[in-house]
Amino acid sequence: EKINLKYVDTASKYDSKNAVVLTNLPRASNRIIQGTSDSTLRTFDTRVKDGVVMEWKVATPLRSVQIIKALQCDPTGTWVAAGFSSGTIHVLDLRVGVMMHAFRPHQQDVTNIICSETGDVFTSSNDTNVSVCHWKRAKTFTEGHQPDYKYQGYRDGVNGMCLLDDDLITCANYRITTISPAGNSTTKLRSDLFRGGVSAMTVSPLNKLVVLGSDSGSLRLLS
């Protein structure tokens, strides 16, 4: 069936050249968040023209301005985690614009972020590590806060991550790794079933199946 897409509007008031990453607030919200190359976060209301709701310069005295490489809201839409090219993560309260926490789980660009309602922030980086930080349990606001858990052993960068119940599922170079309280397991994708490189990864909310997207344009469901 042919799908016709309708042009809605352009937020022309703001320079889009430095826009690096976008994410949306949870379902029922009309706002999207933009991260830029000059450490700026903007929230846009899609219902109005040039509808910027809030704008923040996400930088602290602890570190110079960096490029926002990854962005993710928590499931309640109350806070957002921004990952920088320096490997740092800044957590911001979307309701009042207050910086709630900052930590540095990586040494290189942050590539993926997943947030949970409990305050767990799962991150991956070009340094081939996956980290977990429980920022709500941290006693101090410091960029030097180390992650609570760090998973190593990846040969290449992590292409994608998703949460499935209590399990964290990652994909790196055709290898699917499940990190769970019961233990870790790794499965290699068969080349005859999955062609091309993994470019996207998510979980279908309807049947809880893992969806993989490839750079060849195909989709695969994993149970």
Side-chain angles (χ1 to χ4, degrees), residues 13-122:
K13 181 180 178 181
Y14 300 92
D15 185 7
S16 60
K17 293 181 180 179
N18 61 355
V20 178
V21 63
L22 288 170
T23 189
N24 62 291
L25 269 71
R27 187 179 303 173
S29 175
N30 295 290
R31 291 190 294 167
I32 58 175
I33 304 178
Q34 176 194 77
T36 71
S37 58
D38 59 355
S39 301
T40 300
L41 278 180
R42 297 189 185 100
T43 60
F44 291 91
D45 190 331
T46 58
R47 296 170 295 182
V48 296
K49 184 177 179 62
D50 291 335
V52 66
V53 178
M54 300 184 80
E55 180 174 315
W56 306 279
K57 195 76 170 180
V58 189
T60 70
L62 298 176
R63 183 162 292 276
S64 60
V65 173
Q66 298 288 337
I67 301 173
I68 299 176
K69 290 287 190 175
L71 202 60
Q72 184 65 49
C73 293
D74 80 304
T76 65
T78 57
W79 54 272
V80 63
F84 286 77
S85 55
S86 61
T88 59
I89 304 291
H90 290 182
V91 179
L92 190 77
D93 191 324
L94 289 172
R95 297 165 296 185
V96 293
V98 174
M99 185 79 68
M100 296 189 290
H101 198 67
F103 54 98
R104 190 181 187 189
H106 301 287
Q107 300 300 319
Q108 297 183 28
D109 294 4
V110 177
T111 55
N112 293 283
I113 300 178
I114 297 177
C115 302
S116 71
E117 294 183 26
T118 59
D120 295 335
V121 179
F122 303 85

Side-chain angles (χ1 to χ4, degrees), residues 186-206:
T186 300
T187 302
K188 187 175 181 179
L189 294 173
R190 290 170 48 184
S191 58
D192 59 331
L193 296 179
F194 190 88
R195 298 186 181 278
V198 177
S199 58
M201 186 179 190
T202 189
V203 174
S204 171
L206 181 62

